[in-house]
Amino acid sequence: MNFLTKTKKHIFIGLLFCGAVGSQAQDVLRVNLKKAIEIALSDNPTIQIADKEIERVDYGKKGAVLSFLPTFDGTAQYIRNINPQTMVMAGQKFVIGQDNSVSLGISASLPLLVPALWRSMQMTELEMQMAIEKARSSKLSMEADVKKAYYNVLLAQASLVSLQESYDLVKQSYEDSKKRYDVGATSEYDNISAEVQMRNLVPSILQMENAVKQTKMLLKMYLGVNMATEIELEGKLSEMEKDVVQISDYSALSLDNNSELKQLDIQIQQVQKQLQLQRTQRMPTLVAFGNYQYQGSGMDDDMPGMNPLTGEPMVIKGGITMYDPAFSVGLQLNVPLFHGFTNVMKEKQTKIAAKELALQRDYVKTGLSVQAVSAMDNMKKAADQIESNKKNMELANKAHVISQKRYDTGMGTMLELRNATLALTQANLSYSQAIADYLNAKAEYEKIVGKE
């Protein structure tokens, strides 16, 4: 059927994605559409990745807020002077440097006026909005994919039932024809035609059985379950005809909740915030700081030196001498003056990027409008086909009953009965296909408009 080729390309991906099929049968998973969507939104790795992305961005947002807290750094330093500095005075050599020096210190910094930090925090808020919207987009896409896969399984099952019913009818006709042929009541041509018609249905039934398996595999992939798990779907495609609604008013179409447009809106805001962040490079910053330092130095042995106060010679005793700790606080103001117009060029680039996104949004919105209208047209077309095919199915069934009676009484031919059976089968298949087309178009429409 026409949906079979659409699903084949997903099967190989599904096998790689879910792993090799197990050799042992597992419990049967019975689901309805609502339950299938719940499982997919809970267990599918795509949704789990989107949730992890939100968690990752949340840590980034918290980190941006914590950047306003003071920072502390500890330092420790040891220096060994292989050749201490010396000087010569009055013909005598004096040591100025020390053999060893050590220092310990703690420095603190607190941003008081740093505009870039505020803009960065606003950027992380937009990043969080983007992560949430992307997660919503993943859920909308997954929900639409699960619905389509679910409907395609029901369509394959309904088509298989129609073909099997047709096969049973043709088989019964063949058996009746063979009995008549054995007693000479019908021609050999009619008997052969009945057998050929019966055997012609076998490849279609086998193909449809394969279609049921493949559509179920695709649904399993979306649900994130093992391929060896047996799955049974509740409900029938014909029972979903009650959900069919005739489309007559297109004015209600709204793309306000479309996830793709919302993401573009957030991207435009991000570019605007980026422009504001770049402008902070021209603004002054004010930072408070503090330093606490403990230092010492000394010589390995006694060495001649010079008194720094009197300039008189003295002997520097060996050992380490620790000085009183020093503590200082202050403010540091940085005022950008000139950076070669690099910031100006970056701002112009960012403005152009914002205009590009605005143009892209308009183009995307036009394309989405076309897709939404096309989906609504497909829904309307399928709804009309359902009504027509339903009536046609009733007429085909009535015609088959009449042709069967005519054939049984000898007034009709095998060709007439064969055509009636074929028409009935085609009517049943077309009816199921029309319902599936409507439901698939509806799922696509709800995805486009962002209906949750």
Side-chain angles (χ1 to χ4, degrees):
M1 292 300 152
N2 57 357
F3 64 89
L4 181 57
T5 56
K6 297 179 182 178
T7 59
K8 283 183 177 179
K9 63 182 181 180
H10 299 287
I11 302 306
F12 180 69
I13 300 175
L15 289 172
L16 292 178
F17 187 74
C18 295
V21 177
S23 59
Q24 298 181 350
Q26 299 186 10
D27 295 337
V28 176
L29 176 63
R30 295 180 175 85
V31 295
N32 53 25
L33 180 58
K34 182 178 179 181
K35 182 65 175 179
I37 293 174
E38 290 177 355
I39 294 175
L41 296 182
S42 173
D43 299 340
N44 189 277
T46 302
I47 304 302
Q48 294 177 357
I49 291 173
D51 292 337
K52 289 296 182 183
E53 179 65 13
I54 294 178
E55 185 178 354
R56 183 191 69 81
V57 175
D58 184 57
Y59 281 116
K61 182 180 178 180
K62 293 177 179 177
V65 175
L66 295 176
S67 63
F68 288 92
L69 297 178
T71 59
F72 296 89
D73 296 292
T75 60
Q77 186 180 45
Y78 167 76
I79 299 176
R80 171 67 178 180
N81 291 317
I82 304 302
N83 238 345
Q85 188 177 6
T86 61
M87 65 174 293
V88 178
M89 179 179 289
Q92 196 171 10
K93 188 176 182 180
F94 300 97
V95 177
I96 298 178
Q98 304 289 323
D99 287 332
N100 306 284
S101 64
V102 294
S103 64
L104 300 173
I106 296 178
S107 62
S109 177
L110 175 64
L112 299 179
L113 179 61
V114 184
L117 290 180
W118 291 99
R119 297 305 180 192
S120 297
M121 187 175 66
Q122 293 173 347
M123 290 284 288
T124 59
E125 292 177 355
L126 289 175
E127 189 178 359
M128 173 60 74
Q129 294 179 24
M130 178 63 78
I132 293 174
E133 189 57 42
K134 285 183 177 180
R136 175 175 171 267
S137 177
S138 297
K139 291 179 180 179
L140 288 173
S141 298
M142 181 56 60
E143 185 174 344
D145 290 338
V146 170
K147 286 181 178 179
K148 292 177 182 178
Y150 193 95
Y151 298 146
N152 284 339
V153 174
L154 293 182
L155 174 59
Q157 291 177 340
S159 300
L160 180 59
V161 170
S162 297
L163 289 173
Q164 288 174 336
E165 290 176 348
S166 178
Y167 178 82
D168 293 338
L169 291 174
V170 174
K171 183 179 180 181
Q172 183 63 43
S173 298
Y174 165 70
E175 292 174 351
D176 293 343
S177 176
K178 190 175 186 307
K179 291 179 182 178
R180 293 187 180 189
Y181 173 71
D182 292 340
V183 297
T186 186
S187 66
E188 183 180 7
Y189 173 78
D190 286 344
N191 184 56
I192 293 176
S193 297
E195 184 176 1
V196 170
Q197 184 183 9
M198 179 183 68
R199 295 186 182 280
N200 281 341
L201 285 174
V202 174
S204 298
I205 292 176
L206 294 176
Q207 183 181 14
M208 194 52 60
E209 288 176 347
N210 190 44
V212 172
K213 294 179 182 178
Q214 291 187 351
T215 52
K216 282 187 176 182
M217 288 175 66
L218 182 59
L219 181 59
K220 291 176 188 178
M221 184 189 75
Y222 290 137
L223 298 185
V225 301
N226 190 283
M227 287 294 170
T229 302
E230 291 295 330
I231 184 171
E232 291 185 3
L233 276 58
E234 298 179 4
K236 298 181 179 180
L237 201 60
S238 57
E239 297 173 353
M240 297 185 176
E241 184 186 351
K242 62 181 183 297
D243 298 328
V244 176
V245 178
Q246 287 286 351
I247 303 296
S248 58
D249 184 14
Y250 287 23
S251 60
L253 174 62
S254 174
L255 298 176
D256 293 341
N257 289 326
N258 179 269
S259 183
E260 189 173 356
L261 292 180
K262 282 183 173 291
Q263 290 182 46
L264 284 172
D265 289 337
I266 295 174
Q267 288 181 31
I268 292 174
Q269 295 180 50
Q270 287 178 323
V271 172
Q272 292 172 347
K273 292 298 180 183
Q274 184 180 357
L275 179 61
Q276 295 176 3
L277 179 61
Q278 290 173 345
R279 288 173 176 169
T280 60
Q281 302 300 317
R282 305 179 184 179
M283 300 178 183
T285 59
L286 181 62
V287 177
F289 65 88
N291 289 297
Y292 180 87
Q293 192 171 30
Y294 194 51
Q295 186 174 354
S297 62
M299 304 294 293
D300 292 337
D301 303 309
D302 294 345
M303 293 289 291
M306 182 178 64
N307 192 317
L309 299 178
T310 63
E312 296 179 355
M314 62 176 292
V315 176
I316 301 177
K317 298 293 184 180
I320 299 294
T321 300
M322 302 303 297
Y323 304 108
D324 292 336
F327 178 65
S328 62
V329 295
L331 297 174
Q332 181 176 342
L333 178 66
N334 292 326
V335 181
L337 297 178
F338 180 71
H339 291 274
F341 299 105
T342 56
N343 291 332
V344 175
M345 297 299 104
K346 291 180 180 179
E347 291 174 14
K348 289 184 177 181
Q349 289 179 342
T350 305
K351 290 178 181 179
I352 293 176
K355 292 180 180 179
E356 290 176 349
L357 284 174
L359 292 173
Q360 181 181 354
R361 187 189 187 282
D362 292 339
Y363 183 75
V364 170
K365 184 176 181 180
T366 301
L368 290 172
S369 298
V370 173
Q371 294 178 29
V373 172
S374 177
M376 295 177 74
D377 287 338
N378 291 336
M379 291 169 62
K380 185 177 185 303
K381 176 185 176 182
D384 294 337
Q385 287 180 340
I386 291 173
E387 292 297 324
S388 176
N389 293 340
K390 188 176 182 180
K391 182 64 177 177
N392 186 48
M393 189 169 56
E394 295 173 357
L395 294 174
N397 185 62
K398 185 177 181 180
H400 183 270
V401 172
I402 295 174
S403 63
Q404 183 68 55
K405 290 182 178 179
R406 283 173 54 83
Y407 180 76
D408 293 340
T409 58
M411 298 178 61
T413 65
M414 176 56 68
L415 179 61
E416 178 183 321
L417 179 59
R418 183 175 61 192
N419 291 338
T421 304
L422 180 62
L424 177 59
T425 303
Q426 187 61 46
N428 290 333
L429 293 175
S430 298
Y431 173 71
S432 299
Q433 184 69 56
I435 296 178
D437 289 344
Y438 176 88
L439 295 174
N440 284 327
K442 181 180 179 182
E444 183 66 22
Y445 171 78
E446 291 177 344
K447 172 186 172 183
I448 294 174
V449 300
K451 183 178 179 181
E452 300 183 53

